[in-house]
């Protein structure tokens, strides 16, 4: 579902005038981010009711609340990078390059949460990284263009945000509180920044035509449901398993981009997709290593002190 996000944003931009009932630019960078995230927060609020959500938030420590707001800021930055990137690159490119996000989350999460990465996972993730490089470099004469660079930056922000979200969930934060505060704070932060930079008039077309109806549907499916599924999975699985099972998404995204936006993949995108899917197949048959306990960490530290190699990936 998350892989469909660039496709649908591109579709909304192309059909913005029709959705705005004559308004030229109802589907703008600011409107999508502000209205989309605000609708997502309102959907969660209406579904779970204000009382239970407020009770969840009230029971959290100040440090965890600040973590939730920070996560919202990262979500706003991630969305901004994707939207601006789509102005300079195709949605197909964005989908394929976006596969770096679960890989970065898997690898960085393994370090943060003390997981061992098998040789099979290293090999599979290596193919996925190589595939994204093929997409980014071959199609632009071995130069990463502005749009592709922004999409790649968004994958780094996504990985950081996902690690923060998993760490927050480890503090017994409910999914409904996490998703509500994440999207609510994201919309507020972005609204304040945009008002300071562009002025209040920048949101003049935010209430045009059918934009709110479209954004509610988009927020429900692509933001709320996708976030609940992602964070619920990341709460139950380790980062390597989540990264492994999130990587097949480009095949679906590329197909939808072709059917919905008539953006058929170029030769470099096909090659990149095939390389990525090889990596997906390799990682799909791997098994995650268990978390490293305190005693094991002490044993590894002792081995390292004696000159043993404890950093190399294991089978």
């Amino acid at each position: 579902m998350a892989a469909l996000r660039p496709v649908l944003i591109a579709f909304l931009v192309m059909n913005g005038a029709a959705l705005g009932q004559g308004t030229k630019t109802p589907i703008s960078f600011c409107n999508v981010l502000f209205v989309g995230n605000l609708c997502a927060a309102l959907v969660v609020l209406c579904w779970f009711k204000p009382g239970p959500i407020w009770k969840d938030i009230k029971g959290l420590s100040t440090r965890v609340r600040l973590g939730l707001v920070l996560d919202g800021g990262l979500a706003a930055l991630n969305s901004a990078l994707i939207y601006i990137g789509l102005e300079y690159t195709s949605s197909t490119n964005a989908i394929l390059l976006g596969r770096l996000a679960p890989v970065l989350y898997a690898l960085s999460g393994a370090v943060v949460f003390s997981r061992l990465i098998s040789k099979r996972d290293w090999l599979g993730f290596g193919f996925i990284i190589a595939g994204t490089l093929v997409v980014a470099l071959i199609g632009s004469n071995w130069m990463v263009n502005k749009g592709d660079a922004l999409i790649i930056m968004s994958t780094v922000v996504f990985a950081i945000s996902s690690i923060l979200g998993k760490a927050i969930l480890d503090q017994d934060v409910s999914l409904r509180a996490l998703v509500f505060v994440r999207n609510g704070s994201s919309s507020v932060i972005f609204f304040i920044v945009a008002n300071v930079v562009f002025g209040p008039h920048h949101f003049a077309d935010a209430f045009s035509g059918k934009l709110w109806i479209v954004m509610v549907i988009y927020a429900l499916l692509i933001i709320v449901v996708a976030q609940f599924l992602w964070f619920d999975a990341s709460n139950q699985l380790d980062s390597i398993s989540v990264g492994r099972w999130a990587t097949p998404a480009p095949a679906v995204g590329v197909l939808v981009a072709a059917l919905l936006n008539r953006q058929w993949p170029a030769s470099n995108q096909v090659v990149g997709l095939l390389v990525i899917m090889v990596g997906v197949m390799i990682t799909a048959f791997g098994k995650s290593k268990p978390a490293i306990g305190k005693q094991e960490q002490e044993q590894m530290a002792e081995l390292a002190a004696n000159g043993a190699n404890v950093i190399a990936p294991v089978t």
Side-chain angles (χ1 to χ4, degrees), residues 84-90 93-94 97 135-153 268-269:
I84 298 175
L86 284 170
E87 294 183 359
Y88 302 96
T89 191
S90 66
N93 253 27
L97 293 174
V135 173
L137 296 177
I138 293 182
S140 54
N141 297 320
W142 302 100
M143 295 286 291
V144 178
N145 63 42
K146 182 177 180 179
D148 292 344
L150 290 171
I151 297 297
I152 292 174
M153 288 173 61
N268 68 300
Q269 294 172 333

Side-chain angles (χ1 to χ4, degrees), residues 29-30 76 186-199 203:
F29 162 62
C30 292
S186 176
S187 62
V188 171
I189 291 171
F190 183 80
F191 182 77
I192 294 173
V193 172
N195 269 281
V196 172
V197 176
F198 303 111
F203 294 98

Side-chain angles (χ1 to χ4, degrees), residues 100-101 104-106 108 154-164:
L100 274 178
L104 293 176
Y105 170 64
S108 57
S154 76
T155 66
V156 177
V157 175
F158 176 88
I160 297 173
S161 176
S162 297
I163 291 175
L164 178 59

